[in-house]
Structure formats: C-alpha cells, structure tokens
C-alpha cells in the first residue's frame, strides 16, 4: 500500500510496476515455465505520445473540473485486460471530453440537470478499476459529449454510530482511505476486494463488489444499511434499517446499478470490531475433487470461515503457495469476540475426512486487547496464507507487466450450484483450452474458489496465453467469448462480482429474465428520463 503517482495506462502506482530488469527476468522465467516462446518486454508508453481526440464540447457552466491531458487519459478506461492493452498502445480514442470533480451533492445535481438538457452523457467514476468497460465513454452517437464524474472529493467518514455498529461514509473513499478513518474508532468495514487500494465505496456499491470474506459477508450488499444517490429527477435516499420486509428493497435497486440510475454519494455501512482472534490452516489434497468436497462440507456446516479459498495445483503454483502439484485449501476464521479453536478443529476434521492433510497444523493467534492491527496486504501473518495474500495484491502489477511482453493474461469468475460444478468446470476448461490453442497455439488455465456458499462455490479462472503483438485483442476476444458462452450454457452466472458493464452485457441479457430487463429499463426511464447516465451499460438508454 502507499502513495505515489498512479500509472496512466497500467494497474496502480507507477513505481510498483516491475522495472525493465524485472520484466526481462519475468519473461525468461515465464517463457521457461509455460513454454511460451519469444516473450520480449516492450518499451513502456509515454504520456506525450498518446492518441486522444480534442474535447467536443465547452466546459459546462460552473464546472469544478478539467480537460487536461492527464485527467482525460486517466478517465478513459478501467483496468481490464483490454483497457491495459489499449493504454499500453497509447490509444485513448474513447476519452471523455471533460472530467468533473464535484465537492457536494448540489454540484452533482446541477451537472446532471445541465447534461440532461444538453444531451451530454455522464459516467460516474470511482477508482476506475472496472474490468468490464463500466467507465468507458463508448456511448453511441446520441450525445454531444461525455463527462466523467469523479467522486474523489467525497472521501470522508462522516459519522460513526458505535451503538448500532455502522458508519456513514462518502462514496469516493477508497479502501485504505475509509479504513484509516475508521481505525481511530476501533472498527473496520473489512471489505477487501483485490482492487482495495484504488477502488471506492461508491464503486463497490454500484458493482456489488465481492470482498475478503469467503462466506457470509461476501458482497458489499451484506454491509450496506442505507444509501444516498443523486438522480436527474431528485434525491434517492433510503432509511437506516437493519432489515425490512416492506416490499421490494430500495437499496437493492441501487446495488449493482453500475452508474445508470444515479450518482451514489454516501452510504451507511455495517462495521465491526477489529478482529482479535484468528485461526488458520492450509490443507493439501492430491486431487481437486477432494478439495471441492471439503470446501462444500465446510460451507454447509454452518461454520462460516472468513477464508475458504480452494486453489487448484496451477493456481497454488502461480501464487507461490505450493509448487508440488497439490490442491490447497486456505482456511481461516476470525473473531473479535471469542477464540476459534473449536471452529478450526471442526473445519479441519471435515477437510481431513475428504482426504486432506495438514502437515503444518493450525495457527492460532490472539492479537490481545488494544493491539493495533494493520489492514490489507500488510497484515502480518506467516505461512502459505501470507504468501498467497502478498501474491494476491501484487498480481495486478504482474498482469500489467505480462501484457508488456506479449502475454494474454486475464481472469473471469462465476458462481454455480455444487451439483453443477463438475460439468461447468470441465466445460470451461475444455472450451478455454481449445480457444487458446486455436487463437494462440498454447495457453494455461487455473482455477480457485473465491467464495463458498452452502449451495455452491464461486469459481475464479485465470488464463495465460502467448499473444501476437498487434493481434492480441482479437485473440483475447475469441477466448473471452468462448469462456462466457460456456458459463451461460452451463447454468452459471456471467459474473459473481466483477459486474456487467459494457463487456458482459450480451451474456447478462441471456441470463436475466426478459421481463426483468424491461423493468430495469423502466426504472432507468423514471430516474434518468434523458438517458444520460452511463449509456450502454446494463440496458439501452
Ligand atoms: C486488479 C483488479 C482486481 C479486482 N478485484 C476485485 C475483487 O476482488 N472484487 C470485486 O468485486 N471486484 C474486483 N475488481 C473489479 C473492480 O475493482 C470493482 O468492480 C470495483 O467495485 C470498482 O470500484 P471503483 O471505485 O473502481 O469503480 P469504477 O471502476 O470507477 O466504476 C465501476 C462502475 O460503477 C459505477 N460507479 C462508480 N462509482 C459510482 C458512484 N459513486 N455512483 C454511481 N455509480 C458509480 C461506474 O459508473 C461503473 O459503472 C478488480 C479490478 C481489478 C482491476
């Protein structure tokens, strides 16, 4: 974690991207390990060389914003494989015309009114970490221009209610920013998507992000108590309630709205005491099937581990957890209230009954009262889980570096019921391997479970294949299409937590009930009658 200058084309901070020497070594190591030939790091792009059209519209009146090259370039794309490839090539053709940095809801409301009248598209922008084209200004011809509306000035924790264990937080706060403000109150949100460092609370709510908990509190949905959203037709604010059975839930309309219904400005979220007790263990399995059986038994036992990540052998190798060809289940429990010996013992006995071994035993930790805990990647833990966590937060830098040497490196994720997992997994692996072979001549795919539910897992796939420079987007598109088709054909979802955006929309339309699509369109018409908000995402404006 840290400050620094964010890269205009790659993931994260410039200084954390592997340097030329490291990229060269990586190319050699990976070429050897995976048999990809001719991997050669290419020079990094320079800001002054990028291709970007001039702004088409003048600044809206009273705009707190900018049309500087850096502002427009850093608001052109999210951080998907496609985005990084285009950024690396210096292609910023879909740049927004202006970037707005409003300081309050009144400024947002004024801007939405002006843009509705002038037919200018507005794209709400949090951390810009979308991997589904969610912030890309591809809006069709019906607009005079596009404004990216960046929430970075709304980044404060406004109130903490320790009695109800909730906090009121502005939408533009990034993970580290909101955790740093919660820490003096002794509470934490503990929502750690892999993009934690750069993504925002508003983005998490708009995309229904998935965080650190493998069970129970998996999506941000489970942590949202109430929200405020500025729409072109007025303020949409919900009541603070622990639960309610009063008709369809208004929060549910906002969760996953992906910037098409309004601009989320703040939310009351459920926080918790910082955990004191931890128990963890790593279980090894000779076969993936045995690991799957163990994960299912634990998910169905009512134990609710905070971590229950199953890594197939290749995933364990890529993340530096194990190189000896075994499947690994990373198990952890945490609590602010009680020691966890009984929970980890029971989970381990279930895992062993499924054929697992635990050569290193369990690790129990009591941070003690008043112990200051650090969050995210810096969390001081030893063992495989720590190796995995470090690799987890470094992986996006590695992906950017791989792209610079001609490797197609991407991930996709889903969820399915346990009874459908075997067939889905086989179909996905066969389809993706076939597509990589056809498009690239080689490639590898790995799988892990990010979350497990009593009725099914959330499998997450990583694929790596050698690219032909200049053709990589066509090669990637072929693999991505085949993978997405396999998910939908096998009854799984197009996304467990990466959202729909522009990229997944064709498959989302196949997945959702048709009347639901119409209802969503009607909701959009009611809240955004001029159709200016993030056109092209989820539904047609
Ligand atoms: C390396 C990497 C790792 C990732 N890991 C995870 C992960 O573990 N879990 C996960 O769920 N996702 C993950 N993602 C995807 C992404 O980080 C999430 O979708 C995240 O929630 C986006 O947040 P953001 O603030 O960056 O939003 P942005 O990318 O800025 O926007 C995403 C969408 O939300 C809308 N939006 C943003 N803010 C607002 C607002 N205030 N009001 C209305 N609409 C808004 C945008 O218009 C857009 O449609 C990852 C992405 C990357 C690049």
């Amino acid at each position: 974690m840290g400050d620094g200058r964010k890269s205009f084309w790659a993931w994260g901070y410039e200084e954390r991207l592997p340097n030329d020497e490291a990229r060269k070594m990586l190319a050699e190591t990976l070429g050897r390990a995976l048999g990809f030939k001719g991997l050669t790091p290419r020079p990094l792009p320079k800001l002054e060389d990028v291709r970007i059209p001039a702004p088409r519209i003048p600044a809206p009146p009273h705009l707190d914003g900018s049309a500087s090259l850096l502002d427009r370039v850093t608001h052109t794309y999210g951080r998907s494989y496609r985005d990084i490839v285009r950024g690396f090539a210096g292609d910023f053709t879909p740049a927004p015309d202006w970037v707005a940095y409003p300081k309050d809801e009144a400024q947002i409301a004024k801007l939405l009114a002006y843009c509705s009248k002038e037919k200018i598209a507005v794209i709400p922008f949090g951390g810009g970490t979308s991997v589904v084209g969610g912030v890309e200004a591809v809006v069709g011809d019906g607009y005079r221009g596009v404004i990216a509306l960046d929430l970075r000035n709304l980044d404060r924790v406004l109130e903490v209610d320790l009695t109800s264990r909730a906090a009121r937080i502005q939408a533009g706060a990034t993970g580290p920013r909101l955790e740093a403000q919660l820490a003096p109150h002794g509470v934490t949100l503990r929502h750690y998507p892999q993009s934690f460092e750069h993504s925002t609370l508003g983005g998490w709510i708009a995309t229904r992000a998935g965080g650190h908990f493998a069970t129970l509190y998996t999506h941000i949905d489970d942590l949202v108590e109430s929200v405020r959203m500025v729409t072109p037709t007025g303020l949409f604010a919900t009541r603070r309630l622990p639960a309610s059975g009063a008709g369809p839930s208004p929060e549910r309309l906002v969760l996953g709205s992906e910037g098409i219904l309004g601009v989320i400005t703040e939310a009351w979220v459920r926080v918790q005491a910082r955990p004191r007790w931890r128990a963890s263990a790593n279980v090894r399995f000779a076969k993936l099937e045995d690991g799957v059986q163990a994960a299912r038994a634990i998910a169905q036992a009512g134990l609710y581990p905070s971590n229950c990540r199953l890594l197939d052998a290749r995933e364990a190798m890529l993340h530096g957890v194990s190189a000896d060809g075994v499947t690994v289940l990373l198990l952890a429990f945490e609590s602010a209230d009680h020691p966890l010996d009984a929970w980890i013992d029971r989970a381990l006995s279930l895992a062993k009954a499924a054929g697992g071994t635990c050569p290193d035993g369990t690790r129990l930790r009591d941070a003690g009262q008043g112990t200051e805990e650090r969050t995210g990647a810096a969390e001081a833990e030893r063992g495989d889980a720590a190796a995995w966590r470090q690799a987890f937060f470094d992986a996006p830098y590695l992906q950017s570096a791989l792209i610079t040497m001609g490797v197609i490196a991407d991930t996709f994720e889903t969820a399915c019921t346990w009874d459908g997992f075997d067939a889905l997994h086989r179909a996905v692996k066969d389809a993706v391997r076939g597509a990589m072979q056809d498009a690239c001549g080689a490639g590898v795919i790995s799988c892990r479970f990010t979350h497990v539910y009593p009725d099914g897992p959330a499998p997450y796939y990583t694929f790596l294949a050698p690219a032909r420079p200049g053709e990589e987007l066509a090669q990637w598109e072929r693999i991505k299409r085949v993978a997405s088709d396999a998910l939908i054909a096998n009854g799984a979802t197009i996304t467990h937590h990466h959202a729909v955006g522009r990229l997944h929309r064709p498959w989302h339309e196949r997945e959702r009930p048709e009347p639901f699509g119409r209802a969503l369109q009607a909701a959009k018409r009611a809240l955004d009658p001029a159709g200016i908000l993030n056109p092209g995402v989820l539904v047609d404006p």
Side-chain angles (χ1 to χ4, degrees), residues 232-274:
T233 53
L235 184 66
F236 184 122
T238 73
R239 184 173 285 220
R240 278 190 69 197
L241 291 169
S244 164
S249 152
E251 289 82 23
R252 287 268 155 200
L253 190 62
V254 178
L255 284 157
S257 57
E258 300 197 20
I260 70 160
L261 301 179
V263 180
I264 300 159
T265 53
E266 59 178 65
W268 274 97
V269 287
R270 302 183 174 107
V271 294
Q272 48 188 300
R274 308 179 82 72

Side-chain angles (χ1 to χ4, degrees), residues 14-54:
E14 275 178 356
E15 74 268 13
R16 281 177 57 191
L17 188 74
N19 63 22
D20 289 353
E21 192 52 34
R23 286 193 299 134
K24 221 171 114 211
M25 273 171 57
L26 185 61
E28 282 164 17
T29 316
L30 202 77
R32 256 198 319 274
L34 300 180
F36 296 174
K37 298 204 177 63
L39 299 185
T40 317
R42 284 173 279 162
L44 303 186
K46 296 194 180 79
L47 184 60
E48 57 273 24
D49 296 337
V50 304
R51 298 184 300 286
I52 187 168

Side-chain angles (χ1 to χ4, degrees), residues 9-11 42 45 51 77-92 399-400 402-410 467-477:
W9 64 275
W11 171 255
R42 284 173 279 162
R51 298 184 300 286
Y77 296 126
R79 283 296 175 263
S80 68
Y81 170 76
R82 239 169 114 231
D83 298 335
I84 297 175
V85 168
R86 289 178 294 174
F88 181 61
D91 174 8
F92 289 83
Q399 185 208 22
S400 295
L402 290 176
I403 289 170
T404 69
M405 59 191 70
V407 177
I408 296 175
D410 199 10
R468 288 185 294 278
E471 291 175 49
E472 52 268 84
L473 285 183
Q475 293 175 292
W476 167 85
E477 255 169 48

Side-chain angles (χ1 to χ4, degrees), residues 11 78-80 123-135 149 151 171-172 191-196 198-211 219 229 257-260 262-265 392 395-396 399 451 460 496-499 501-502 534 537:
W11 171 255
R79 283 296 175 263
S80 68
I123 302 188
F125 194 102
T129 66
S130 169
V131 283
V132 292
V135 291
L149 191 159
L151 278 293
H191 180 75
Y192 297 120
Q194 191 180 29
S195 56
F196 172 80
H198 299 290
S199 53
T200 62
L201 176 64
W204 299 342
I205 295 173
T207 60
R208 302 187 57 205
H219 287 93
M229 178 169 82
S257 57
E258 300 197 20
I260 70 160
V263 180
I264 300 159
T265 53
F392 180 64
Q399 185 208 22
H451 303 80
Y460 184 105
H496 170 268
H497 57 262
H498 277 170
R502 292 175 173 80
N534 216 358
V537 168

